[in-house]
Amino acid sequence: MQFDDDADLDTSEVRDVRGSRIPGGRATVGGGIIGVIALILGLFFGVGPDQLGLSSGDSGTTATASSAAQIEQSCRTGQDANTRDDCRTVAVVNSVQDFWRREFSRRGARYADAKTVLFTDRIGTACGAATSAVGPFYCPGDRQVYLDLGFFDDLRTKFGSTGGPFAEAYVVAHEYGHHVQDQMGTLSRSQDGRTGSNSNAVKVELQADCYAGVWAHHATTTPDELTGRPLITSLTPADIRDGLDAAAAVGDDRIQEKFQGRVTPESWTHGSAAQRQQWFTTGFRSGDMADCNTFR
């Protein structure tokens, strides 16, 4: 996965609060075994902690601005994205939102931008407070994606993914899939409290995987709004394999087998490894979000 070295990155789409003090309340999810339990019940790549039962109840907490603001100084060009993890995240966010703006416009609608918030350890959001143990998530309350970059190390070391730049890009694109669902009115279908392999919760997550695949299909042809050239210049079959491997690593069945020693489909919230790969592949092959109707 390569970016246009000469492209200018738009850091306004990513808010860097790593190292900031988060005011108000405290997260109810800790590390260690608590984080594992949260993973088994809610899994990674989800929506806000309120929907995982992890809210502190202080929904008004927000992240303070980081005095470091690392990405503003360090992530200026595509060349930076080719050498730094945080800059790569900025570039992926730029590419994903470039695509969805064009796609919504093509369909006669307007896409509302969503920021990604980079944090460490814990964060306060409009959906409540959460820690890194929750994994990346989208909060519909403030329409922002939340990501601790340390998760990408966990994806390899704890969950057995091969990792790689596109595995990380898949995670970001999946979260923006939830943002697309939020704007289209389908995200709320996951909030009926039901779990299981055929639940709306699973169907919403699989659709977000499919939307990530749709973006990937167009990633090397979507022009950057600043340069008119695609921000992503190369996406190889090996990159796609890394993304599929990440999708499988966070399948409900894989995680349940790893952490509780048995698979219980009645408690699934995100879908099996095979389902997650299948729906990402569906979106990637066709490039058409109309093929992402997991509710059929």
Side-chain angles (χ1 to χ4, degrees):
M1 183 179 187
Q2 290 291 314
F3 300 91
D4 177 3
D5 281 342
D6 297 324
D8 293 325
L9 301 185
D10 182 2
T11 58
S12 71
E13 294 185 352
V14 178
R15 190 172 174 214
D16 186 3
V17 298
R18 291 173 293 174
S20 296
R21 188 179 77 81
I22 306 303
R26 60 176 183 170
T28 59
V29 181
I33 189 63
I34 300 299
V36 170
I37 292 172
L39 174 63
I40 292 172
L41 295 178
L43 302 183
F44 286 123
F45 303 2
V47 286
D50 57 331
Q51 291 162 285
L52 300 179
L54 306 179
S55 173
S56 69
D58 186 358
S59 61
T61 58
T62 55
T64 58
S66 171
S67 59
Q70 298 175 52
I71 61 169
E72 292 183 18
Q73 283 88 33
S74 303
C75 302
R76 298 182 180 275
T77 68
Q79 185 174 15
D80 297 326
N82 285 322
T83 57
R84 287 178 57 119
D85 289 350
D86 50 0
C87 300
R88 182 162 59 241
T89 298
V90 174
V92 170
V93 170
N94 289 170
S95 174
V96 169
Q97 298 210 104
D98 281 344
F99 168 70
W100 286 116
R101 287 187 202 103
R102 291 175 65 86
E103 181 64 14
F104 270 55
S105 177
R106 187 177 72 83
R107 293 171 176 271
R110 180 182 177 277
Y111 173 82
D113 289 358
K115 289 183 184 292
T116 286
V117 181
L118 301 182
F119 72 99
T120 50
D121 299 329
R122 63 179 58 202
I123 190 74
T125 80
C127 296
T131 71
S132 301
V134 179
F137 63 91
Y138 171 72
C139 173
D142 55 27
R143 290 191 164 185
Q144 296 188 124
V145 172
Y146 290 88
L147 172 64
D148 185 328
L149 293 176
F151 170 75
F152 295 137
D153 291 330
D154 291 341
L155 190 59
R156 290 183 297 100
T157 60
K158 294 182 180 178
F159 305 105
S161 168
T162 55
F166 189 75
E168 299 173 10
Y170 154 71
V171 173
V172 174
H174 173 99
E175 294 308 329
Y176 275 90
H178 286 313
H179 179 55
V180 170
Q181 291 171 321
D182 192 22
Q183 294 182 75
M184 297 183 69
T186 54
L187 183 62
S188 60
R189 298 178 72 168
S190 68
Q191 300 175 29
D192 59 9
R194 298 178 181 178
T195 61
S197 58
N198 197 41
S199 66
N200 281 341
V202 166
K203 292 174 182 178
V204 162
E205 295 299 332
L206 295 178
Q207 186 177 64
D209 281 335
C210 188
Y211 286 163
V214 169
W215 159 74
H217 175 95
H218 297 280
T220 59
T221 58
T222 298
D224 177 62
E225 293 186 348
L226 296 177
T227 67
R229 304 186 304 271
L231 181 55
I232 297 176
T233 59
S234 173
L235 200 58
T236 68
D239 290 323
I240 300 303
R241 286 196 296 271
D242 286 343
L244 288 169
D245 189 73
V250 291
D252 282 323
D253 52 343
R254 293 273 187 96
I255 290 177
Q256 288 180 338
E257 181 66 35
K258 184 177 184 67
F259 289 102
Q260 65 185 28
R262 67 188 187 281
V263 177
T264 54
E266 65 273 12
S267 65
W268 287 2
T269 57
H270 282 55
S272 69
Q275 287 176 310
R276 301 199 73 165
Q277 290 185 320
Q278 172 196 338
W279 281 102
F280 175 87
T281 301
T282 295
F284 178 66
R285 284 178 175 169
S286 76
D288 187 351
M289 66 184 300
D291 291 334
C292 295
N293 184 5
T294 56
F295 296 93
R296 288 194 297 262

Short mmCIF file of all heavy atoms in Angstrom, two decimals, residues 5 85 116 126 131 137 155 209 211 235 271 294:
data_model
loop_
_atom_site.label_atom_id
_atom_site.label_comp_id
_atom_site.label_asym_id
_atom_site.label_seq_id
_atom_site.Cartn_x
_atom_site.Cartn_y
_atom_site.Cartn_z
N ASP A 5 3.61 10.44 -2.87
CA ASP A 5 4.58 11.17 -2.04
C ASP A 5 4.33 12.67 -2.01
O ASP A 5 4.58 13.33 -1.00
CB ASP A 5 6.00 10.92 -2.55
CG ASP A 5 6.56 9.58 -2.12
OD1 ASP A 5 6.02 8.99 -1.16
OD2 ASP A 5 7.53 9.12 -2.74
N ASP A 85 3.07 5.58 11.05
CA ASP A 85 1.76 4.96 11.26
C ASP A 85 0.66 6.00 11.42
O ASP A 85 -0.44 5.86 10.86
CB ASP A 85 1.78 4.06 12.49
CG ASP A 85 2.60 2.80 12.27
OD1 ASP A 85 2.98 2.54 11.11
OD2 ASP A 85 2.84 2.07 13.25
N THR A 116 -11.65 11.54 12.84
CA THR A 116 -11.09 10.45 13.63
C THR A 116 -10.30 11.06 14.78
O THR A 116 -9.50 11.98 14.57
CB THR A 116 -10.17 9.56 12.78
OG1 THR A 116 -10.97 8.76 11.91
CG2 THR A 116 -9.34 8.63 13.65
N ALA A 126 -19.30 11.48 23.36
CA ALA A 126 -20.74 11.69 23.51
C ALA A 126 -21.47 10.38 23.78
O ALA A 126 -22.64 10.40 24.18
CB ALA A 126 -21.30 12.36 22.26
N THR A 131 -12.06 2.92 27.39
CA THR A 131 -10.62 2.76 27.35
C THR A 131 -10.23 2.06 26.06
O THR A 131 -11.07 1.60 25.28
CB THR A 131 -10.09 1.94 28.54
OG1 THR A 131 -10.48 0.57 28.36
CG2 THR A 131 -10.61 2.48 29.86
N PHE A 137 -13.80 2.38 17.67
CA PHE A 137 -15.26 2.43 17.61
C PHE A 137 -15.72 3.75 17.01
O PHE A 137 -14.99 4.74 16.97
CB PHE A 137 -15.88 2.22 18.99
CG PHE A 137 -15.56 3.28 20.01
CD1 PHE A 137 -16.37 4.40 20.17
CD2 PHE A 137 -14.45 3.16 20.84
CE1 PHE A 137 -16.08 5.37 21.12
CE2 PHE A 137 -14.15 4.12 21.80
CZ PHE A 137 -14.97 5.23 21.94
N LEU A 155 -3.65 -6.23 17.38
CA LEU A 155 -4.23 -7.01 16.29
C LEU A 155 -3.27 -8.12 15.85
O LEU A 155 -3.70 -9.24 15.55
CB LEU A 155 -4.55 -6.08 15.12
CG LEU A 155 -5.39 -6.64 13.96
CD1 LEU A 155 -6.75 -7.12 14.46
CD2 LEU A 155 -5.56 -5.57 12.88
N ASP A 209 -18.17 -3.96 6.97
CA ASP A 209 -17.07 -4.65 6.30
C ASP A 209 -17.21 -4.52 4.79
O ASP A 209 -16.23 -4.30 4.07
CB ASP A 209 -17.05 -6.13 6.68
CG ASP A 209 -16.45 -6.40 8.04
OD1 ASP A 209 -15.63 -5.58 8.50
OD2 ASP A 209 -16.79 -7.43 8.65
N TYR A 211 -18.78 -2.16 3.12
CA TYR A 211 -18.49 -0.78 2.73
C TYR A 211 -16.99 -0.52 2.70
O TYR A 211 -16.49 0.25 1.87
CB TYR A 211 -19.18 0.20 3.69
CG TYR A 211 -20.67 0.32 3.50
CD1 TYR A 211 -21.48 0.87 4.50
CD2 TYR A 211 -21.31 -0.11 2.34
CE1 TYR A 211 -22.86 1.00 4.34
CE2 TYR A 211 -22.68 0.01 2.16
CZ TYR A 211 -23.45 0.56 3.18
OH TYR A 211 -24.81 0.68 3.01
N LEU A 235 -2.22 -0.62 -4.43
CA LEU A 235 -2.88 -1.54 -3.51
C LEU A 235 -2.73 -2.93 -4.13
O LEU A 235 -3.33 -3.21 -5.17
CB LEU A 235 -4.35 -1.17 -3.35
CG LEU A 235 -5.09 -1.70 -2.12
CD1 LEU A 235 -4.41 -1.26 -0.84
CD2 LEU A 235 -6.54 -1.22 -2.14
N GLY A 271 -20.21 -11.29 13.61
CA GLY A 271 -20.12 -12.27 12.54
C GLY A 271 -18.87 -13.11 12.61
O GLY A 271 -17.88 -12.76 13.26
N THR A 294 -26.83 -6.54 3.64
CA THR A 294 -26.72 -7.73 4.50
C THR A 294 -28.04 -8.07 5.17
O THR A 294 -28.15 -9.11 5.82
CB THR A 294 -25.66 -7.50 5.59
OG1 THR A 294 -26.00 -6.32 6.34
CG2 THR A 294 -24.29 -7.33 4.98
#
